[in-house]
Amino acid sequence: MPLTDQRLQRDAFNQLLLIRAESPPVAVTPVRAFALSEPERFIALVDAQGHEQAFIEDLADLPREDAELIRQFLAERELMPEILRIDQVLSFSTPSQWRVTTNRGAAELTLKSEDDIRRLSEGLLITDAHGLPYRIPDLKALDRHSRRLLARFL
């Protein structure tokens, strides 16, 4: 059901509540359908049992306060560090160990194969051996040293 005649608010326990006129508030969690390709569109609000309570086709269609609340909850829930710099690659054959600097600090990751690096419409998605995703949103924003190391895998 679309998010019309409803509003969102945080409760005292930091939960996101969906407020409707005829029913009690429902604690919901925003879930993106296409987190990488359409991060601002197609967001479901699901309850604790995973049932969809509302569907948002585009955050731009919501009141600014509701859209910002959803963005805050998504940012708290989703962990996808962005690689700012590739400091060192210890082995160019797989599995390879990388030392990188992300927007959340230094990290070491292991790539099992070249298939762990996927091209997106904008940038790259790198998945380490533990299944943790890292993004490089813009290859041109990387420094020359990082681009040179990355080129050996692309």
Side-chain angles (χ1 to χ4, degrees):
M1 105 178 35
L3 189 63
T4 55
D5 299 326
Q6 304 171 71
R7 62 187 177 91
L8 297 169
Q9 75 178 41
R10 269 188 204 260
D11 70 1
F13 301 104
N14 203 28
Q15 292 180 315
L16 183 63
L17 297 178
L18 179 62
I19 311 293
R20 297 180 178 136
E22 293 89 31
S23 59
V26 178
V28 293
T29 301
V31 179
R32 288 181 169 130
F34 305 104
L36 297 173
S37 60
E38 296 282 352
E40 295 279 310
R41 301 188 68 216
F42 310 115
I43 298 170
L45 298 178
V46 298
D47 63 18
Q49 290 76 36
H51 299 120
E52 184 177 297
Q53 296 297 313
F55 184 77
I56 302 160
E57 190 166 320
D58 195 335
L59 282 180
D61 296 339
L62 294 180
R64 186 177 51 81
E65 299 83 19
D66 287 349
E68 193 53 40
L69 261 178
I70 291 172
R71 284 186 190 102
Q72 288 172 6
F73 270 85
L74 288 168
E76 292 168 8
R77 182 172 185 261
E78 298 174 345
L79 172 66
M80 189 175 309
E82 291 185 3
I83 294 176
L84 305 174
R85 185 176 66 240
I86 301 171
D87 300 312
Q88 186 178 18
V89 175
L90 300 176
S91 170
F92 289 103
S93 61
T94 55
S96 64
Q97 290 221 249
W98 294 25
R99 291 192 179 131
V100 298
T101 301
T102 72
N103 61 338
R104 298 180 187 252
E108 278 193 32
L109 47 132
T110 302
L111 275 63
K112 294 184 288 187
S113 73
E114 283 85 9
D115 294 336
D116 291 338
I117 302 173
R118 293 190 356 223
R119 288 187 183 273
L120 302 173
S121 58
E122 295 180 17
L124 297 174
L125 179 68
I126 299 173
T127 306
D128 77 355
H130 301 290
L132 296 172
Y134 293 82
R135 278 190 63 208
I136 299 178
D138 183 7
L139 293 173
K140 295 175 186 150
L142 290 176
D143 62 275
R144 185 176 178 194
H145 174 72
S146 298
R147 286 194 312 263
R148 193 174 325 133
L149 291 173
L150 189 58
R152 298 183 103 177
F153 291 91
L154 297 178

